[in-house]
Amino acid sequence: MKKLLLSLLFIFCMSAQVYADIMPVRVSDVPSGVLGVYQPATSIKVFENPDSKSKLLYQKKWTYITVSETDYANNLFAVLKDKKDLSFVYATDMDEDYVKVIYDKTKNSQGWAYKEDEFQFLPWITFYNMYGRKYGLKILKDAPDFVYDVHSRSDNESQVIGKLNRPKEIRLTAIQGNWALVTALDLGGKVNTGFIRWRGDNGELYVFPDI
């Protein structure tokens, strides 16, 4: 009986799919100078210049069944949700047909990837409006204390009308500059509606879509 149970457990573990979740957790996880994200399909080619005839710096192909098992995933992806067939790479610049991407986060290695359509490059505001509204927001670790202040308007001098305390859910309504209009539910059941800082003056991110 014991051998049978062990065999069944082994078969289950072998057949079970382990899904990877790569997401920024801390403010420092998002490199400085990032303007948004580039969304590849299931492959990426990175060139030295915004020209396919220039030197090829990096290329990868993957499937969302196996990408979680690869050793490059953490270096390449800004966001990876293989259960959702969803992946993004940090983008730092753009040309007419190319986007400059970070293809190795540990070394800040960058190059140019071809943009097959306009929606492959998502500036932060577009990305937040799409995925922040759909999934809500989460506050990144090490975010400044003022990020938890809920303001009446989208400016630093406006009245603080509430404070987030262990937010369970943060729903995004709109982005106004570096401010986000949100409705947040704390673990205690208190609801706050108002503006919080989602981005700093130097472009650092304090909150991120909770995909």
Side-chain angles (χ1 to χ4, degrees):
M1 185 66 180
K2 186 176 180 180
K3 289 184 178 180
L4 177 60
L5 290 174
L6 289 173
S7 298
L8 291 173
L9 180 61
F10 176 77
I11 292 171
F12 174 79
C13 292
M14 290 296 291
S15 61
Q17 173 64 43
V18 178
Y19 291 101
D21 281 342
I22 296 175
M23 292 278 292
V25 175
R26 301 179 181 276
V27 172
S28 58
D29 288 342
V30 183
S32 61
V34 172
L35 302 179
V37 290
Y38 170 83
Q39 184 173 19
T42 54
S43 66
I44 189 170
K45 288 185 177 181
V46 182
F47 299 92
E48 186 174 24
N49 299 308
D51 184 348
S52 61
K53 295 180 180 178
S54 65
K55 181 180 178 181
L56 180 64
L57 299 176
Y58 181 89
Q59 65 176 335
K60 287 291 181 184
K61 291 184 178 181
W62 61 87
T63 69
Y64 286 104
I65 295 175
T66 61
V67 68
S68 61
E69 303 168 3
T70 61
D71 58 357
Y72 64 83
N74 279 306
N75 293 339
L76 174 63
F77 295 110
V79 173
L80 172 63
K81 293 286 183 175
D82 54 2
K83 194 173 183 178
K84 299 178 184 294
D85 291 357
L86 194 63
S87 60
F88 297 96
V89 178
Y90 289 123
T92 60
D93 200 357
M94 64 177 297
D95 193 68
E96 183 175 357
D97 296 318
Y98 287 81
V99 178
K100 195 171 189 180
V101 300
I102 299 175
Y103 62 89
D104 188 331
K105 295 184 296 184
T106 61
K107 300 177 181 178
N108 197 32
S109 300
Q110 302 185 30
W112 295 88
Y114 181 66
K115 184 176 61 173
E116 295 181 0
D117 62 62
E118 293 299 320
F119 294 103
Q120 276 192 286
F121 171 60
L122 300 176
W124 282 134
I125 290 179
T126 304
F127 179 70
Y128 277 64
N129 277 327
M130 290 178 64
Y131 292 94
R133 285 187 176 186
K134 183 175 182 179
Y135 294 105
L137 302 173
K138 66 173 183 178
I139 298 176
L140 297 176
K141 292 183 179 179
D142 300 330
D145 290 341
F146 62 73
V147 175
Y148 292 83
D149 293 337
V150 181
H151 288 252
S152 60
R153 299 192 312 275
S154 56
D155 65 75
N156 289 324
E157 304 305 319
S158 62
Q159 181 183 1
V160 176
I161 57 176
K163 196 170 185 70
L164 304 184
N165 180 26
R166 296 188 299 167
K168 179 181 178 181
E169 182 180 5
I170 304 175
R171 307 304 301 176
L172 173 65
T173 299
I175 294 287
Q176 294 185 13
N178 292 333
W179 295 80
L181 177 59
V182 302
T183 297
L185 174 66
D186 287 345
L187 285 177
K190 184 178 180 180
V191 177
N192 283 289
T193 298
F195 291 90
I196 64 171
R197 285 289 296 265
W198 70 275
R199 182 171 64 179
D201 294 332
N202 295 323
E204 62 271 25
L205 303 184
Y206 301 139
V207 302
F208 204 82
D210 193 14
I211 300 174

